Each structure stands twice: as structure tokens, then as C-alpha cells.
Amino acid sequence: MTSIDRVGSEMNAHEEMLHDLAADMTREAGVLFVEATAAYLARALSGDDAVSTRLDAHDIADRFDGPMPETGRPLTDVLAHIVSDVIPESNWLHHPMAMGHQVAPPLPVAIWSEALVAALNQSLAVWEMSPVASILETRVIQWMCDLAGLGPRAGGTFTSGGTEATLTALLAARNALFPEAWERGVERRPVIVCGADAHYAVARAAGVLGVGTSNLITVPSRDHRMDPAALRDIVDGLRARDIPIIAVVATAGSTPTGSFDDLEAIADICDALGLWMHVDGAHGASALLSAAHRGRLRGIERARSIAWDPHKMMLMPLSAGMLLVRDTADLDAAFAQRAPYLFGDGAEQRVRDHGRRSFMCSRRADVLKVWIALQRHGRAGLAAIHDDLCATAHALWWAIRERSDFEALHEPESNILCFRYIGSGGADEAALDALNAELRERYNRSGYGWITTTVLDGRRVLRVTVMNPRTNGSHVRAMLQRVAALAAG
Ligand SMILES: *Cc1c(COP(=O)(O)O)cnc(C)c1O
């Protein structure tokens, strides 16, 4: 091969590459993805297909076994592969019988927005990389802070979710208590206090922040909510022993039952002792949008920080999380409290460069889809969806009360309900635990519907999270009917 030939073939390869990129950038190429997505949405909504795969993990791994593709294929081939092998075996969250985890069947407008978020690919690290998105993030965060009633100094950041929001909040709280900790580490042995039903994000933060999970003090729950009297005893005891308390973490919409801690009572205790109250509202803070439900969050305006996930009850696609703080300076101090440039010149930049207030450097513009969804539906539209999800969970609770073969473990405060099959009664607890675990397995594997399970009050229970506005009373009754039929036969 002569050097001329080699240059020639490289040129051809280069031209071919440019040709492929141009072809994939056309409207026609985009339509292939739009059609596959719209077809999935239509079939999922119809409820005629299975909710989830019947294959096990090994079968799926076998299907995708093989070496990395050495050369590319036409886009139509790739789409055909996605349509035959990826979409059918995924969890169909838009199916009205999908009532599993706290993951949204995303709002259609947010689904289409994702392509735009990717196409524009604005990084939220600094304003110059995202001239509009940075401003929109400030705008949306401000709207949310106002809904929470956090006051004039409030601010925040988008996050990958509630776990990062709570980690960042507790980092800010740690640095507020120990201003030297960023550089020198934690030299005294502080604790973090949370409820027994808190999400594991809190324990994880304790581990990551060098506090240690054994220094996470859990307050007993009463009716699945933090017991404020027990909290008072615990913090009084810690104070008497001179043990520093980084924060008290309240939960607004707990993971197991969707219950709301009494934020007013917890804030009274925190304020009296000057303690940082963090509200983990990853699931439940969306109730702030709702005139009917926002009362459950009374006292949230007294939080020093709040975690709130739009990718839960605002039905955003993963990921969209938020951390709100009552005083933006707390968040500035979370990551670089000794950096003088933050507090010197460039105040303008300090406000606009969100990377200074985030654990992440490169960060996608998740705010865009939230902002677009708010333009499309408004607060009232999102509130109507939120309230509908809660109403359907409540309809399930009523349906269970009307039957003798199931029992509910609590009345739903949001869109989550734990219940169990008890049959005609008389079975012992161990047998019921085993039966309910087995029923969940068989029900989900049938493809008819999809629910979850957890351990609540020491019992194995079934758990439903209503995330789909298309799920209604007849769907939740059909779920009970099918589970009962499985138990009978
Ligand atoms: C979902 C949830 C989390 C975790 O949030 P991610 O977005 O999954 O990181 C934390 N706390 C509560 C109460 C939650 O419901």
C-alpha cells in the first residue's frame, strides 16, 4: 500500500464518518426514535402487554452477550434491535398496572425535552458553559424556595437526586459546625440524628462525611413518624454529654409508607437548641405544589435545608433532584469555605457559577425539563397530577377496608401504601410473611402487574407506590383481585 492509498482510504473513512453523522442529525433519523418511543407509550398505556419482563437476569445477559461491535450498522438496524430486545424486556412504568417503586412514568413533555437537554448539552459547572440553563436553574430553584417559604436568602442547586441532596446538605451542616473540617477533617466525634424510617441516604452520608454510621442516632418512630418527644430526650442527652450534633434529619414522605414527620414539632426542638434541621423531602416535598396537601409540610419553612426530587412526584425522568437551603451562604461554605475568591471580587460570578455549590463539576441541565414541564402544565397542572396519585392510593386503602382478606398497615398520607394478604385469618405471622413474599414474586412474574414489598413493623408486607396518573381505582382493585386469586390457587 502506498502512502497515497492510505491517505485516500483515510479520507474515505473520514467522509463516511461525516456522512453518518449528518444522516443521524436529520429529522428522519430523529423520527425513528420518536416513533419507537411513541409506540412504547401507546402500548404501555393500553395495558394490553406485560408490565415487565418474564426473563431472568441470566436470560437477559445471554441476549446481550457478545463482543464490542467493531463497525457500525445502519440506524434502522440499531432501532430494530432496540425495539425487539430492549423495550419489551424493560419495566413499563407507563402501564397502568405498574405500581412499584418511586420511579416516575415520565411526563411526555419531559421525555421529549430529554433529547433537547442532550442536544444542547449545557454544563451547569459555570455560567459561561450554560448561559441560559444556569439562569433557569437559579429561577426554578427560587420558585421552589418561595413555595417552601424559605425567605430572601434562600437558594440551592439541582442534584442527581435525594441522596446527593442530603449528602450535600449534611456536608454543609458539618462545615457550619466545624469550619475547619474541609481542610483538617473532623476532629471531634459528632453525630447526626434522624428518624428510624429515614432513607439510607442519611446513613450513607454519615459514612461518606467521616462521621461514621455508628454515630447516626435514630429516633424511634410512632405511627411511622419520628416521635418528637423521643427526639427531645435524645438531643437533651447528647447535649448533656457535650456531643456535637451536625443536624437533625426529618423525613417528609418516608420511603416505606410515605408518612410525613411533624416538621413543626421537630423545628421547635431544633430552634430551641440552635440545631440544623434538614428535611428529606425527596419524595414528599412535591406536596408543596398542592393546595390540598401542602399542609402536611407545615414547618418546612423553618428547615435550614431541604432535599426535593422532581424525579419522583413531579414525574420527571431520571435524574432531577434539588437541594434548597435557607441561606445560600451555607451552600457556598459546603465545598470551599476557606476560598477567599468566593467572598471577594466576582460576586456576580459567585451567584451564577453553580459548580461552586455542587458536588459535581460537569452537570447536565436537568433544570430544562423541569422548567419546560412547568411551562406546559403550570404549578396547578403538576398539583393535579400529584393529588390524583394520592387519591388513587387512598382508593386502594378504601378497597382494602372493604375486603376481609387483606389488611392495610396505615392510612396513606401520600401515594404509598403498605398492606398484606391475610386470607381468611388464622395463619401465624411467619406463614403470612412467607406467603406475602411469595405472592409478590408470583404476581410480578405473571406480567399482570408490578408491586413491591418491604418489612414494616417486623412483618413482610406488600407495598404500592402510585406513580401513574393512568392508574385508577379499577386498576388497584384488579391488583387485589389478582393477588387474592394467586393466593387461592
Ligand atoms: C427516593 C428517596 C431518597 C433517595 O433519593 P434518590 O433520588 O434516589 O437519590 C431519599 N430520601 C427519600 C425520603 C426518598 O424517598
Side-chain angles (χ1 to χ4, degrees):
M1 197 191 274
T2 67
S3 62
I4 301 231
D5 287 331
R6 201 155 55 236
V7 168
S9 71
E10 275 171 15
M11 291 274 289
N12 287 340
H14 178 74
E15 278 166 13
E16 205 173 302
M17 178 267 287
L18 287 181
H19 175 270
D20 285 350
L21 294 182
D24 286 4
M25 237 175 253
T26 60
R27 187 173 183 283
E28 288 68 30
V31 165
L32 295 175
F33 284 90
V34 169
E35 278 174 349
T37 306
Y40 152 71
L41 290 171
R43 281 182 61 182
L45 288 186
S46 78
D48 295 338
D49 297 81
V51 177
S52 182
T53 184
R54 291 182 175 126
L55 302 178
D56 67 22
H58 293 288
D59 296 334
I60 295 173
D62 285 347
R63 180 177 290 195
F64 294 99
D65 208 14
M68 180 189 285
E70 180 57 23
T71 55
R73 304 155 65 183
L75 190 56
T76 47
D77 284 8
V78 177
L79 257 298
H81 192 22
I82 295 169
V83 167
S84 67
D85 292 327
V86 176
I87 296 175
E89 312 308 337
S90 294
N91 291 341
W92 283 22
L93 302 177
H94 287 86
H95 193 299
M97 295 300 289
M99 308 174 196
H101 292 283
Q102 300 152 274
V103 190
L107 294 176
V109 72
I111 297 173
W112 308 124
S113 298
E114 284 286 14
L116 193 64
V117 173
L120 294 174
N121 206 28
Q122 306 288 288
S123 175
L124 266 295
V126 288
W127 173 78
E128 68 175 30
M129 299 173 81
S130 49
V132 179
S134 281
I135 303 297
L136 288 181
E137 179 159 306
T138 304
R139 180 67 270 164
V140 171
I141 290 283
Q142 197 61 55
W143 285 338
M144 301 313 191
C145 289
D146 290 347
L147 274 181
L150 287 181
R153 298 162 65 85
T157 179
F158 266 65
T159 64
S160 56
T163 305
E164 187 197 342
T166 285
L167 172 65
T168 305
L170 293 174
L171 171 67
R174 185 201 75 176
N175 290 355
L177 193 61
F178 303 114
E180 304 297 313
W182 183 262
E183 286 169 9
R184 309 231 312 248
V186 179
E187 290 171 346
R188 288 175 66 198
R189 300 196 89 206
V191 297
I192 294 170
V193 178
C194 69
D197 288 280
H199 190 272
Y200 72 76
V202 183
R204 194 168 268 196
V208 172
L209 294 174
V211 171
T213 54
S214 63
N215 296 310
L216 181 64
I217 311 293
T218 51
V219 181
S221 292
R222 232 196 298 146
D223 297 330
H224 312 111
R225 286 180 215 100
M226 185 193 287
D227 178 354
L231 171 65
R232 183 177 292 276
D233 289 346
I234 284 172
V235 295
D236 283 349
L238 291 166
R239 278 298 168 101
R241 288 154 60 209
D242 206 22
I243 296 174
I245 302 170
I246 288 179
V248 173
V249 180
T251 304
S254 70
T255 310
T257 59
S259 305
F260 289 78
D261 284 352
D262 183 344
L263 302 181
E264 205 79 273
I266 295 168
D268 284 345
I269 294 165
C270 290
D271 284 353
L273 297 174
L275 296 175
W276 183 303
M277 177 169 84
H278 172 66
V279 175
D280 178 359
H283 188 79
S286 296
L288 285 168
L289 297 162
S290 158
H293 286 268
R294 60 172 295 130
R296 300 193 187 280
L297 292 157
R298 201 165 292 121
I300 198 169
E301 69 282 356
R302 299 165 67 186
R304 199 146 157 193
S305 54
I306 301 168
W308 177 354
D309 274 352
H311 67 216
K312 290 189 175 154
M313 291 186 80
M314 288 174 71
L315 304 193
M316 288 299 120
L318 297 170
S319 306
M322 300 184 296
L323 168 62
L324 311 180
V325 293
R326 198 168 59 205
D327 188 338
T328 311
D330 280 335
L331 197 45
D332 291 339
F335 291 101
Q337 67 279 15
R338 307 228 7 184
Y341 58 86
L342 277 181
F343 308 107
D345 301 336
E348 176 95 334
Q349 253 164 325
R350 192 169 86 228
V351 172
R352 288 184 178 168
D353 291 349
H354 294 294
R356 298 171 190 228
R357 288 184 288 274
S358 171
F359 178 70
M360 288 189 264
C361 176
S362 299
R363 182 158 65 83
R364 72 198 302 275
D366 288 312
V367 66
L368 268 181
K369 63 199 181 199
V370 176
W371 182 82
I372 292 170
L374 281 164
Q375 301 300 313
R376 174 72 180 93
H377 299 288
R379 180 208 57 79
L382 296 182
I385 291 170
H386 172 277
D387 293 357
D388 180 74
L389 301 176
C390 296
T392 305
H394 216 256
L396 172 59
W397 180 74
W398 275 111
I400 288 171
R401 282 170 60 106
E402 284 163 8
R403 303 179 63 121
S404 58
D405 53 351
F406 286 91
E407 74 176 5
L409 279 93
H410 61 101
E411 182 174 352
E413 290 184 40
S414 59
N415 59 338
I416 300 176
L417 180 62
C418 292
F419 60 101
R420 64 176 180 164
Y421 180 78
I422 52 171
S424 49
D428 66 31
E429 290 294 330
L432 283 180
D433 284 354
L435 177 60
N436 278 277
E438 187 202 323
L439 285 174
R440 189 259 175 168
E441 273 308 301
R442 287 171 54 201
Y443 178 76
N444 284 8
R445 218 175 325 114
S446 76
Y448 183 81
W450 213 97
I451 59 176
T452 61
T453 171
T454 187
V455 174
L456 194 69
D457 306 335
R459 299 180 203 136
R460 172 61 59 181
V461 299
L462 305 175
R463 176 173 168 275
V464 151
T465 311
V466 180
M467 296 296 287
N468 187 343
R470 299 292 183 124
T471 302
N472 62 33
S474 69
H475 296 110
V476 296
R477 284 192 297 275
M479 180 273 295
L480 293 176
Q481 203 57 39
R482 180 60 70 104
V483 171
L486 286 173

